[in-house]
Amino acid sequence: MNNKEGNNKRGGSRPNSSRSNSNKPKPAMQKRAQGPKKVKPAVKAAEEEAAQKLKKQNQAPKRQKAADEIRLNKYISNSGVCSRRDADIYIQSGNVKVNGVPVTEMGYLVKLNDVVNFDGVTLTPEKKEYILLNKPKNFTTALDEGQEYRNVLELVRGSTTAKIAPIGRMDKNTTGLLLFTNDTDMIRKFTLPSQKSSKIYQVSLDKNLKYEDLEKISKGLVLDGHRVFVEEVSYIDNEPKSEIGLKLRSSNVKVVRAVFEHFDYDVLRIDRVSFAGLTKKNLPRGNWRFLTDQEIINLKNV
């Protein structure tokens, strides 16, 4: 009896035991996180070669640039519509045509006589130049006054190879700021009667300006059927009352002279001291300088 019970104890199950049954299946182990599969050298080389071929599809074939050729993005930049970097974007997007054919190749070369159409507008390749001159006496903007007086273009000769022209006219006795450019849009903008930029003139008269005449000028007047709007007129501090400051929008010096002649004053001298925000600071009489990028932006935004 005892032996049987002993056998039952050794061979029987132990329901209260904390030890797990060795026959119970163990849970599956989680797989370790795996990194990206290594690309075989041959496959990687093939991928790089394919990428290079795709990149070269938008590149012009390598060839020697001729003397009369220029890169398309530089051609566009020289026309003044945008920078070379932005020009590349327009080229890639298909918005540029050369001789009527869309061009999307980077580094494409064009000749100066090619017709380049940028987003529907035909461009000119000449770089836009803007030169400010402090004009002295005895130089004129006219080309038909004979040989007695020299032309203002002589004063800026050598500054650029572009075909620049002065904005507005100045006679031989008028001095001060005169802007030159080959930007026909800007020339047209500042010579229109409706243009909004201010100019300041210092005017020397043959006699003192009467206060009542100064008041009449400040209210504006009609000359030859056209209304002249005077922004400001005043005596100049510490100067005789024959020295007058006049601020108005016209770039036509003849208008300045006519304002005072309307009240029976003879104009001895006119000096333009400010043109659309540009001044004579650090620009001696007879000297010129290129405008800064910010000054050009300011003029375009007037």
Side-chain angles (χ1 to χ4, degrees), residues 155-182:
L155 297 169
V156 293
R157 182 176 295 163
S159 60
T160 178
T161 57
K163 296 179 181 179
I164 58 175
I167 295 180
R169 294 184 177 182
M170 277 191 175
D171 56 37
K172 63 183 180 64
N173 291 322
T174 304
T175 59
L177 297 179
L178 184 61
L179 183 62
F180 295 80
T181 183
N182 58 340

Side-chain angles (χ1 to χ4, degrees), residues 14-21:
R14 298 180 181 180
N16 295 329
S17 174
S18 60
R19 299 176 67 178
S20 59
N21 191 342

Side-chain angles (χ1 to χ4, degrees), residues 120-300:
V121 178
T122 301
L123 305 181
T124 55
E126 191 174 64
K127 183 180 180 181
K128 297 295 184 291
E129 300 283 13
Y130 306 87
I131 298 171
L132 186 66
L133 169 72
N134 188 351
K135 177 189 169 299
K137 289 182 65 174
N138 298 326
F139 286 84
T140 176
T141 56
L143 298 173
D144 54 355
E145 289 195 19
Q147 301 299 320
E148 184 180 359
Y149 302 108
R150 298 160 66 184
N151 190 271
V152 290
L153 288 171
E154 296 181 30
L155 297 169
V156 293
R157 182 176 295 163
S159 60
T160 178
T161 57
K163 296 179 181 179
I164 58 175
I167 295 180
R169 294 184 177 182
M170 277 191 175
D171 56 37
K172 63 183 180 64
N173 291 322
T174 304
T175 59
L177 297 179
L178 184 61
L179 183 62
F180 295 80
T181 183
N182 58 340
D183 187 340
T184 55
D185 290 335
M186 184 168 289
I187 293 175
R188 189 181 306 110
K189 173 181 179 178
F190 284 106
T191 52
L192 286 174
S194 59
Q195 56 90 32
K196 300 178 180 180
S197 65
S198 299
K199 290 87 179 173
I200 301 176
Y201 301 87
Q202 181 174 341
V203 184
S204 300
L205 304 177
D206 63 329
K207 55 188 176 182
N208 291 344
L209 178 66
K210 296 178 182 179
Y211 183 75
E212 54 265 32
D213 290 339
L214 185 144
E215 287 285 295
K216 291 176 182 177
I217 293 173
S218 66
K219 295 176 182 179
L221 61 158
V222 177
L223 299 175
D224 297 329
H226 298 282
R227 182 75 177 176
V228 177
F229 294 95
V230 176
E231 295 183 55
E232 188 177 346
V233 60
S234 64
Y235 299 113
I236 297 177
D237 293 340
N238 304 320
E239 294 284 351
K241 290 193 176 356
S242 60
E243 295 293 321
I244 309 300
L246 181 68
K247 182 179 181 180
L248 70 169
R249 293 179 178 179
S250 177
S251 60
N252 189 344
V253 178
K254 288 183 177 180
V255 174
V256 178
R257 191 178 299 278
V259 166
F260 295 97
E261 290 178 347
H262 182 76
F263 294 95
D264 297 324
Y265 295 90
D266 288 335
V267 176
L268 304 179
R269 185 175 66 90
I270 299 175
D271 185 43
R272 184 188 283 156
V273 298
S274 176
F275 181 94
L278 303 171
T279 68
K280 298 191 296 181
K281 184 179 180 181
N282 300 325
L283 190 62
R285 189 83 75 201
N287 289 25
W288 59 266
R289 68 172 178 85
F290 289 103
L291 296 191
T292 64
D293 291 340
Q294 187 59 53
E295 288 172 332
I296 295 170
I297 292 172
N298 293 342
L299 288 179
K300 291 183 177 181

